[in-house]
Amino acid sequence: MNVSLPDAQEQFVRAQVSNGRYRTASEVVRDGLRMLEEAEHRRLVEKWIFDDLSDEELALLPEELKQRTRAYFQGLIEEAMEDVKAGRVVDGPNALARMGESLRGRKE
């Protein structure tokens, strides 16, 4: 595969090789593509969490990443359920009332 780069990007790649960070221009490009892939995976996971993904988008996520994401949220759910069972929760209106009392106490 041949890739054409604008002058500024070509100079950047050459500088990365000449300063010893990478041995070849191909290594620079591969590392950049890995970073782009990771950023795309993060974007898709965020979209999955907040909106949802199409089947095509879901297929772009590695299975291991989907499993880790599910396990993370399952852990949060289990932790929250333990808090409920242990009575360590307060409903929203009561929590806001307590916060308001606390803030009023600070003013005085």
Side-chain angles (χ1 to χ4, degrees):
M1 174 183 293
N2 291 322
V3 177
S4 298
L5 299 173
D7 288 341
Q9 288 180 333
E10 185 176 340
Q11 290 173 5
F12 177 78
V13 169
R14 290 184 191 283
Q16 296 302 303
V17 173
S18 69
N19 71 21
R21 179 156 182 192
Y22 296 92
R23 290 182 304 155
T24 66
S26 291
E27 285 182 3
V28 177
V29 172
R30 280 193 299 270
D31 202 27
L33 287 172
R34 272 191 296 276
M35 288 183 217
L36 179 60
E37 186 177 39
E38 289 171 6
E40 179 64 5
H41 290 164
R42 278 191 304 275
R43 184 190 74 77
L44 287 170
V45 166
E46 288 177 8
K47 185 176 182 216
W48 188 26
I49 292 166
F50 294 107
D51 295 325
D52 205 3
L53 295 178
S54 67
D55 291 341
E56 295 82 19
E57 291 171 316
L58 198 56
L60 295 173
L61 285 174
E63 192 58 39
E64 186 269 335
L65 180 56
K66 289 187 269 190
Q67 289 172 2
R68 277 191 298 135
T69 302
R70 287 181 184 114
Y72 173 77
F73 283 100
Q74 185 62 43
L76 290 178
I77 291 167
E78 289 169 6
E79 186 178 316
M81 294 303 293
E82 287 299 317
D83 285 343
V84 169
K85 287 177 188 174
R88 293 185 298 258
V89 295
V90 177
D91 66 32
N94 285 336
L96 288 174
R98 286 182 12 200
M99 286 173 43
E101 289 170 14
S102 176
L103 290 173
R104 281 189 293 280
R106 286 184 186 177
K107 287 182 180 179
E108 296 169 2

